[in-house]
């Protein structure tokens, strides 16, 4: 009997410790659920400002790359070799500064050369002029005068007080060279201006992605869902939406790839054809066995470390230019068991209306399978029942042994 009491006491202590540890874990997990369930809904949308801070991301929400290129040998030479792209990619303030500086510098540079020619020809020594002395450039007797002559020549304002003569062939050659060189520079600068203005980058900014993604059921399939809208009346043709999943991956050989890329396919109403993006559309990615996100669950979603980059390629109907709009989603921006609020409705006068005040709003899914809020609690209770059953079996065996 003493052996039975000792074993019983030992089992009781072990059970209490296990119970205390499991209950602590259950309370922590339940508190997490309660905190997530108590996230305030603003007209049906989750206030993402109250969620935990975002992890570092490769692509910002606005589609700009957060990757810094560092320690590249001869990078400035590479930029100069592709001067056209370098100038186009400049910010407008630098581009305007370069545009103005180009004119001022060429005016001043050729003005200095005209001044040097006048100095060598003796045009600056007014007191020593002979009656037969003919200056290279009339009325240029200072650096300021040479600068003004260079400006008048390059801008083709028209000669008046200052003009070139036939006395100096090298001055005539310099005038021709100035006009040719500065014309080529003006063509280059003007071309980059037009190319920068005509880029479809601004058109891509009128394509709006939903700030968050949701996981819900669509046609009986579990899907990752995002929403995309065209904010202009001009159409986008040949739209193609695709995704890239960026996450750390370790190969069978033990090589660790920091940003492994896996393709994520999106469909519109289970179709992979080019969508007609005249109204806000919902794109679906089916979480099946072939999906790189197939192992997502409500429990491990927020603990995952990945970034889903979404790219929309389209052709602008008015200019036939190809544009690309980008965004990204991290686990904190993906909400399990929610769905988007409808934004398209039919007005009384028979027109379709897209209400963009509802574009970012989400609501809990109408599918009841997403609301097993006590699933972890049920698992824990089942574990306790199994432990109780094992303890009863052990107690029965000890009683049988003690009776023997």
């Amino acid at each position: 009997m003493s052996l039975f009491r000792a074993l019983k006491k030992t089992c009781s202590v072990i059970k209490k410790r296990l119970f205390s540890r499991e209950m602590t874990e259950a309370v922590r997990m339940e508190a997490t659920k309660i905190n997530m369930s108590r996230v305030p809904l603003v007209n049906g949308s989750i206030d993402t400002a109250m969620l935990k801070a975002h992890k570092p991301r490769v692509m910002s929400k606005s589609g700009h790359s957060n990757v810094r290129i560092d320690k590249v040998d001869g990078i400035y030479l590479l930029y100069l070799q592709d001067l056209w792209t370098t100038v186009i990619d400049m910010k407008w303030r630098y581009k305007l500064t370069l545009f103005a500086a180009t004119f001022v510098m060429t005016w001043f540079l050729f003005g200095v050369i005209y001044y040097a020619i006048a100095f060598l020809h003796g045009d600056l020594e007014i007191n020593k002029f002979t009656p037969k002395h003919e200056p290279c450039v009339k009325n240029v007797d200072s650096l300021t005068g040479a600068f003004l002559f260079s400006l008048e020549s390059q801008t083709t304002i028209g000669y008046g007080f200052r003009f070139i003569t036939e006395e100096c062939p090298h001055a005539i050659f310099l005038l021709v060279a100035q006009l040719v060189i500065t014309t080529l520079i003006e063509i280059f600068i003007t071309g980059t201006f037009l190319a920068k203005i005509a880029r479809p980058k601004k058109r891509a900014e009128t394509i709006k992605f939903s700030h968050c993604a949701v996981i819900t059921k669509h046609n009986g399939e579990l899907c990752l869902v995002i929403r995309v809208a065209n904010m202009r009346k001009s159409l986008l043709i040949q739209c193609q939406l695709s995704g890239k999943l960026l996450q750390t991956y370790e190969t069978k050989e033990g090589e660790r790839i920091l940003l492994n890329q896996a393709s994520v396919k999106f469909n519109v109403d289970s179709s992979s054809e080019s969508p007609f993006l005249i109204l806000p559309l919902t794109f679906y990615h089916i979480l099946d066995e072939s999906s790189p996100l197939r192992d997502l669950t409500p429990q491990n979603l927020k603990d995952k470390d990945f970034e889903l980059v979404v790219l929309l390629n389209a052709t602008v109907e008015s200019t036939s230019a190809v544009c690309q709009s980008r965004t990204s989603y991290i686990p904190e921006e993906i909400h399990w068991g929610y769905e988007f609020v409808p934004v398209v409705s039919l007005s009384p006068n028979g027109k379709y209306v897209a209400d963009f005040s509802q574009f970012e709003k989400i609501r809990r899914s109408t599918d009841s399978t997403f609301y097993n809020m006590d699933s972890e609690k049920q698992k824990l209770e089942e574990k306790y029942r199994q432990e109780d059953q094992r303890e009863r079996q052990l107690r029965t065996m000890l009683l049988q042994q003690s009776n023997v």
Side-chain angles (χ1 to χ4, degrees):
M1 293 298 293
S2 60
L3 177 61
F4 171 73
R5 290 176 180 175
L7 289 174
K8 182 178 180 181
K9 185 176 181 180
T10 303
C11 291
S12 178
V13 171
I14 295 174
K15 180 181 177 181
K16 288 181 180 179
R17 291 180 178 177
L18 288 173
F19 180 79
S20 177
R21 185 175 62 183
E22 298 291 348
M23 284 303 295
T24 302
E25 182 68 18
V27 169
R28 184 186 66 80
M29 296 180 68
E30 190 66 23
T32 303
K33 291 180 180 179
I34 291 173
N35 290 336
M36 288 301 297
S37 63
R38 288 182 180 177
V39 172
L41 298 180
V42 182
N43 294 327
S45 62
I46 290 183
D47 186 3
T48 54
M50 295 191 65
L51 298 177
K52 63 181 181 179
H54 293 332
K55 299 176 182 177
R57 57 204 309 162
V58 176
M59 188 74 62
S60 66
K61 294 297 291 183
S62 59
H64 295 92
S65 173
N66 289 330
V67 177
R68 184 182 68 181
I69 300 176
D70 196 10
K71 298 180 180 179
V72 179
D73 294 335
I75 186 158
Y76 295 108
L77 181 60
L78 295 176
Y79 283 144
L80 290 176
Q81 289 176 350
D82 189 13
L83 189 59
W84 176 263
T85 305
T86 302
V87 177
I88 291 179
D89 288 341
M90 279 184 177
K91 294 183 178 180
W92 277 109
R93 55 180 177 269
Y94 301 134
K95 195 172 182 65
L96 292 172
T97 302
L98 176 64
F99 182 74
T102 301
F103 282 99
V104 174
M105 289 176 62
T106 52
W107 294 339
F108 182 76
L109 176 63
F110 283 99
V112 170
I113 299 176
Y114 282 122
Y115 182 77
I117 291 175
F119 176 77
L120 295 175
H121 192 257
D123 298 342
L124 304 181
E125 300 176 358
I126 302 177
N127 298 329
K128 297 181 180 180
F129 277 177
T130 62
K132 296 182 179 181
H133 181 81
E134 186 73 17
C136 292
V137 182
K138 284 285 188 179
N139 301 314
V140 173
D141 52 7
S142 64
L143 182 60
T144 303
F147 175 79
L148 292 175
F149 174 76
S150 174
L151 186 153
E152 293 172 4
S153 300
Q154 186 170 327
T155 56
T156 64
I157 292 176
Y159 298 122
F161 185 68
R162 300 175 185 85
F163 58 91
I164 199 167
T165 65
E166 300 176 358
E167 182 68 21
C168 301
H170 46 278
I172 299 174
F173 176 80
L174 178 63
L175 176 62
V176 174
Q178 178 185 5
L179 296 178
V180 172
I181 293 173
T182 55
T183 300
L184 293 176
I185 294 175
E186 289 176 15
I187 292 173
F188 179 82
I189 298 296
T190 305
T192 58
F193 261 87
L194 294 175
K196 189 175 182 66
I197 294 173
R199 282 196 309 175
K201 181 179 180 181
K202 294 298 181 182
R203 182 63 180 92
E205 292 178 359
T206 59
I207 300 173
K208 184 177 179 63
F209 290 91
S210 58
H211 186 271
C212 65
V214 298
I215 295 179
T216 186
K217 283 193 174 181
H218 177 70
N219 290 335
E221 299 282 352
L222 191 63
C223 299
L224 173 71
V225 184
I226 64 172
R227 178 176 276 174
V228 183
N230 178 18
M231 306 296 290
R232 296 179 66 96
K233 288 186 178 181
S234 59
L235 296 180
L236 293 172
I237 58 178
Q238 298 180 353
C239 298
Q240 295 291 338
L241 189 135
S242 60
K244 292 293 182 181
L245 184 67
L246 307 180
Q247 61 181 348
T248 303
Y249 174 74
E250 187 171 347
T251 63
K252 295 181 180 180
E253 294 77 18
E255 180 185 0
R256 189 170 180 269
I257 302 175
L258 186 59
L259 290 175
N260 181 61
Q261 298 187 21
S263 296
V264 178
K265 295 182 180 179
F266 283 90
N267 300 323
V268 180
D269 295 330
S270 301
S271 173
S272 59
E273 297 178 357
S274 300
F276 187 51
L277 197 60
I278 191 172
L279 291 171
L281 292 180
T282 304
F283 289 81
Y284 305 90
H285 168 68
I286 301 176
L287 300 177
D288 54 11
E289 292 299 325
S290 62
S291 170
L293 297 170
R294 57 186 174 273
D295 59 341
L296 287 183
T297 63
Q299 291 76 30
N300 67 11
L301 174 60
K302 303 304 178 184
D303 297 328
K304 289 287 185 178
D305 185 13
F306 66 84
E307 181 177 351
L308 177 61
V309 178
V310 179
L311 307 100
L312 177 67
N313 297 296
T315 303
V316 183
E317 184 185 35
S318 56
T319 62
S320 299
V322 178
C323 68
Q324 183 182 86
S325 186
R326 302 173 292 270
T327 190
S328 70
Y329 300 93
I330 56 178
E332 289 76 15
E333 297 167 348
I334 301 175
H335 305 292
W336 191 289
Y338 285 80
E339 62 184 8
F340 286 105
V341 175
V343 296
V344 180
S345 60
L346 189 63
S347 64
N349 57 0
K351 290 186 177 181
Y352 288 98
V353 179
D355 184 7
F356 279 91
S357 65
Q358 306 288 327
F359 186 80
E360 298 288 355
K361 296 179 182 179
I362 60 177
R363 65 188 179 190
R364 292 187 181 277
S365 175
T366 55
D367 194 333
S368 59
T369 58
F370 288 106
Y371 299 116
N372 291 327
M373 298 301 295
D374 296 331
S375 59
E376 291 294 332
K377 187 176 180 181
Q378 291 174 359
K379 292 179 182 179
L380 189 59
E381 290 176 354
E382 179 66 23
K383 187 176 182 179
Y384 289 151
R385 283 195 292 270
Q386 293 177 359
E387 290 177 356
D388 288 338
Q389 186 177 1
R390 286 196 297 266
E391 185 179 352
R392 292 192 192 98
Q393 292 176 355
L394 178 61
R395 192 178 301 171
T396 302
M397 292 175 58
L398 291 175
L399 285 172
Q400 291 175 354
Q401 291 178 1
S402 61
N403 291 333
V404 173

